[in-house]
Amino acid sequence: MSDEPCRFRLSGAMVFAAVAFLATNSSATVTQLKAGRLLDPRTGNVLSPAAVFIEDNKIKEVGSPSQLQAHAAAGAKIIDLGNATLLPGLIDSHTHLFLDIIVPPELEQQRHFNGLFAPGMLLAIIESPSKRVLMGAQFAREDLESGITTVRNLGHSGIDGDTELRDAINAGRVVGPRILASGRKLITRGSYVQNLNPALADAILQQEFLLIDGADQARQAVRRNAFQNVDVIKVTADENLTVAELAAVIEEAHREHLKVAVHAPDKVSIQTAIDAQADSIEHGNEATDAQLKQMRDKGIFLDLTPTFNDGFYLKITEPSIVISPASRADAVSRNASRKEHYDQLVQRVLKSGVKFAAGSDMCWFYPGKSRGQASAETLVKLRDAGMRPLDVIRSITTNAAEMLGWQDRIGSIEPGKFADLVGVAGDPVADISELERVQFVMKEGKVIRNEFK
């Protein structure tokens, strides 16, 4: 029997496959983005003029407009931003989308343990979870509109608020940044609140936290968060948390392929996090030179949070509550001391060679600011501590992507990565405050905001 018909059928199949391939590719959304400048944070190099070829949600090619025009797909959508500067989408590696703490009056603060924060947190826990998640969705969108295309939400979202919001955003039901969700924060009893009604205490705490009391319970807490499909584990280290307990958390989390971020502001908690081999230390305000060296040698990231640097307390309180002259004078004095200390910390971090990123730690009601505006203002405060603008940009792009373990997806404008880009009118290396005035935002190839039209 001749094999000619077989060859014909094979040829027909190949033609059909080719047509299907072309049809599939022709349906792809293709965009060419042009701008006067494009900054590569990793090298500091600037491409001018610049073009980015985007196919669906990924970056396909980066080069000059003339280079990309030579093989740009017919029918590609052209977005011309004129003289704008393009940067990678910004990353806020420490935020709290489900909190909006209004600072209570002075006397109310004095009546409670952790009086600045705990009353507002307790209200968020006991009020409607539906109300809370809708607020979180609003803040997520406001972050995205300000150029923050990825956030790491580190606790205070109820049992599943951030995982569900993440999934809704990923499914396209809600507009917001890419979220790394942590679920409930792991704490020891008494970390945030004390003296609750014994009949209600456990029920309240379980809505927000997973309690650690021994290594076995630490492992179980990780497993419970893993059941909620979290992206990262958040732990608060205090004087009651042992190295063995934290090490158990980290070992179990790593077994689940999850990184562990440890809230550690003071020397004791920082050392606990170092000894237990945390992936990142959040805040680290009292880190010594010896501890910074240990962190560097072990590859532990320091996630700087300059939230209360530069008079933040008065900015969020004076517009809404009465502050006595004595308290205001005390706040001004403490701010000067805090700023001096934080400036020194940042300089020591830069000299130490430790890996660092930055987060806003934003959970506060900031009168007159959207959540995105408040976050962006906070992220650039490292400039006021003497950090070069390019290093500030790295802390919220390339460095942050590496800390999150997502350096293959975000943090730079390179082929194969998500098409997350922001545009500003000026030069952010010359004036980092340009990042507070983002005028163009694209996430995964979709334009969220464009004021350059």
Side-chain angles (χ1 to χ4, degrees):
M1 181 177 179
S2 169
D3 60 355
E4 286 297 323
C6 293
R7 282 201 297 268
F8 176 79
R9 284 196 296 270
L10 179 61
S11 177
M14 292 174 66
V15 170
F16 178 80
V19 170
F21 174 80
L22 290 172
T24 299
N25 280 269
S26 65
S27 66
T29 301
V30 178
T31 305
Q32 186 171 339
L33 188 60
K34 298 180 180 180
R37 297 157 48 90
L38 184 152
L39 174 65
D40 176 5
R42 184 177 290 107
T43 64
N45 293 336
V46 174
L47 175 64
S48 180
V52 182
F53 181 47
I54 299 160
E55 189 171 282
D56 288 334
N57 63 350
K58 298 286 183 69
I59 297 168
K60 189 80 171 178
E61 190 175 357
V62 181
S64 68
S66 58
Q67 287 175 320
L68 269 60
Q69 190 62 39
H71 41 89
K77 179 181 180 181
I78 307 295
I79 301 176
D80 194 336
L81 303 181
N83 293 323
T85 301
L86 283 174
L87 303 91
L90 308 181
I91 303 169
D92 187 347
S93 54
H94 188 131
T95 193
H96 303 286
L97 293 173
F98 295 78
L99 284 180
D100 193 29
I101 303 293
I102 296 175
V103 176
E106 295 172 45
L107 293 178
E108 186 68 19
Q109 292 182 43
Q110 295 169 13
R111 289 179 177 181
H112 304 286
F113 170 77
N114 194 13
L116 182 68
F117 179 78
M121 181 197 70
L122 283 170
L123 277 175
I125 295 171
I126 64 176
E127 288 193 323
S128 164
S130 301
K131 173 184 176 180
R132 193 176 187 186
V133 77
L134 288 170
M135 180 187 74
Q138 175 189 340
F139 290 161
R141 178 157 194 151
E142 289 175 357
D143 265 358
L144 180 59
E145 290 173 346
S146 290
I148 300 168
T149 55
T150 300
V151 302
R152 188 173 60 156
N153 194 74
L154 291 181
H156 298 295
S157 62
I159 293 174
D160 61 358
D162 58 359
T163 54
E164 292 302 315
L165 179 57
R166 174 203 62 198
D167 292 349
I169 290 171
N170 291 346
R173 295 191 296 273
V174 178
V175 176
R178 190 173 298 101
I179 294 177
L180 281 83
S182 65
R184 284 181 285 180
K185 186 183 295 187
L186 279 60
I187 68 168
T188 60
R189 189 177 291 272
S191 286
Y192 285 89
V193 291
Q194 295 179 359
N195 301 320
L196 296 180
N197 183 333
L200 302 174
D202 284 351
I204 292 172
L205 292 175
Q206 287 168 10
Q207 294 299 309
E208 194 82 351
F209 305 109
L210 291 168
L211 298 180
I212 298 174
D213 186 7
D216 287 343
Q217 193 171 1
R219 293 180 188 277
Q220 291 172 17
V222 173
R223 291 169 188 162
R224 293 182 71 178
N225 263 347
F227 177 75
Q228 296 297 147
N229 197 27
V230 299
D231 304 293
V232 61
I233 298 294
K234 172 71 182 298
V235 187
T236 292
D238 60 13
E239 65 276 8
N240 296 319
L241 184 70
T242 68
V243 173
E245 288 170 331
L246 183 53
V249 168
I250 294 169
E251 181 182 357
E252 187 65 25
H254 287 178
R255 194 178 68 81
E256 297 277 358
H257 307 291
L258 297 170
K259 289 181 179 290
V260 178
V262 180
H263 167 105
D266 58 79
K267 295 182 182 70
V268 173
S269 59
I270 291 168
Q271 195 60 51
T272 298
I274 292 171
D275 292 343
Q277 299 277 3
D279 294 296
S280 68
I281 289 176
E282 307 301 307
H283 315 301
N285 296 342
E286 293 184 11
T288 66
D289 288 340
Q291 288 176 325
L292 291 174
K293 182 180 184 300
Q294 287 180 289
M295 292 170 64
R296 182 197 66 198
D297 293 345
K298 294 186 176 187
I300 299 173
F301 264 91
L302 175 59
D303 195 13
L304 295 163
T305 53
T307 318
F308 276 86
N309 204 22
D310 196 26
F312 182 74
Y313 175 78
L314 290 177
K315 290 179 182 179
I316 62 175
T317 53
E318 284 192 311
S320 57
I321 64 174
V322 176
I323 302 177
S324 68
S327 292
R328 192 184 191 286
D330 180 61
V332 170
S333 174
R334 284 187 288 110
N335 177 69
S337 175
R338 182 185 294 115
K339 177 168 171 51
E340 181 181 7
H341 174 82
Y342 204 82
D343 291 356
Q344 291 173 357
L345 169 67
V346 170
Q347 293 306 310
R348 290 190 294 108
V349 167
L350 292 171
K351 291 177 182 177
S352 72
V354 69
K355 294 181 178 182
F356 65 90
S360 69
D361 196 17
M362 191 51 59
C363 60
W364 305 95
F365 172 68
Y366 193 154
K369 301 275 187 182
S370 73
R371 174 53 64 94
Q373 290 169 339
S375 300
E377 177 184 297
T378 301
L379 292 171
V380 302
K381 283 182 183 178
L382 291 173
R383 158 208 58 195
D384 300 327
M387 186 178 287
R388 295 185 310 153
L390 184 58
D391 285 327
V392 177
I393 295 169
R394 286 168 176 155
S395 75
I396 53 178
T397 55
T398 52
N399 291 8
E402 182 183 352
M403 183 177 70
L404 272 50
W406 279 17
Q407 62 268 37
D408 60 333
R409 308 178 214 183
I410 58 175
S412 58
I413 304 175
E414 295 178 293
K417 296 191 177 181
F418 284 120
D420 295 353
L421 302 99
V422 300
V424 296
D427 178 4
V429 175
D431 179 8
I432 193 66
S433 70
E434 286 288 342
L435 297 187
E436 299 179 58
R437 300 182 293 275
V438 168
Q439 297 185 40
F440 175 83
V441 181
M442 172 181 279
K443 181 197 168 198
E444 294 187 11
K446 295 180 180 178
V447 176
I448 305 299
R449 178 181 181 186
N450 185 5
E451 296 181 13
F452 290 109
K453 295 179 183 178

